[in-house]
Amino acid sequence: MHFLFPGDPLEVGSVDAHFSDEFQVLKQAGHACHVFSVEHWEDGLLKIKPAIPVGQKVLYRGWMMKLPEYAQLQAKLAERDAQLLISTEQYKSAHYLSSWYPHCQQNTPETVFLHDEDLVETINRLNWSAYFVKDQVKSLTTTRGSKAKTAAEIREILSELLTYRGEWEGGICIRRWEDLIVESEERFFIWKGRAYCKDGNVPPWLGEMIPAIGSPFFSMDIAFNRQGKPRIVEIGDGQVSSIKNWPLDAFVHIFAGE
């Protein structure tokens, strides 16, 4: 397989230090790894080393991209007769909460999507005991956290999201707060319909929880509630999902048959 990584802004031609170990292990496993210049990309140019052979499909591994930026990457690769393995629409299908939520509503906290002007009316109608506040792709990771009990607290979180991120990417998402066991949360990767976990022992119940998302590669974060039931906390595009506490060899093994 061919993998495309962002370059190190401080060391031209080298992979971003955050991904350097993954880059090396993938190469050792026999995959082709490419690096694109972050500096040139910020200027709208795509410069890749080594060059990707004509006709090859590429899997991106790097930082999150907003949809227009990802679409630009897809277009720039197409100009070189190369193809992103995951299209922009497929990227959105796992990256945006509103895209994956309809496929797994029974296994994830209830969620509503709204605009700022609808906030008070919506909260009064829902009347939940507590709310988890985020945009389509991120929640607040400061000490304030993302839990709220009133419309005023929700506005406080939304204001902090704007401060730290500059926008609510894709819009506002309000999720019903569930009492989950934080220590039980585990990240799984789904590659071409098959589930993988960090120790290789995929739990038997996981297969029934995999939603019919139109992407060949995505991550699922699952935690148990106090009644012992697994719940989907988050789904994300696999290309921009960190491996968290996975051993690198276990992650690279996902692509062993390619």
Side-chain angles (χ1 to χ4, degrees), residues 6 17 23 88 91 101 128 134 137 202:
F23 181 91
T88 301
Y91 179 75
Y101 176 73
W128 294 338
K134 65 190 298 294
V137 300
V202 178

Side-chain angles (χ1 to χ4, degrees), residues 31-44:
H31 299 289
C33 294
H34 308 264
V35 177
F36 70 93
S37 166
V38 173
E39 295 84 352
H40 289 94
W41 180 245
E42 290 174 350
D43 293 329

Side-chain angles (χ1 to χ4, degrees), residues 46-61:
L46 184 59
K47 292 188 177 293
I48 301 173
K49 291 185 178 180
I52 298 170
V54 171
Q56 290 298 322
K57 292 185 177 180
V58 183
L59 191 69
Y60 170 66
R61 278 295 292 168

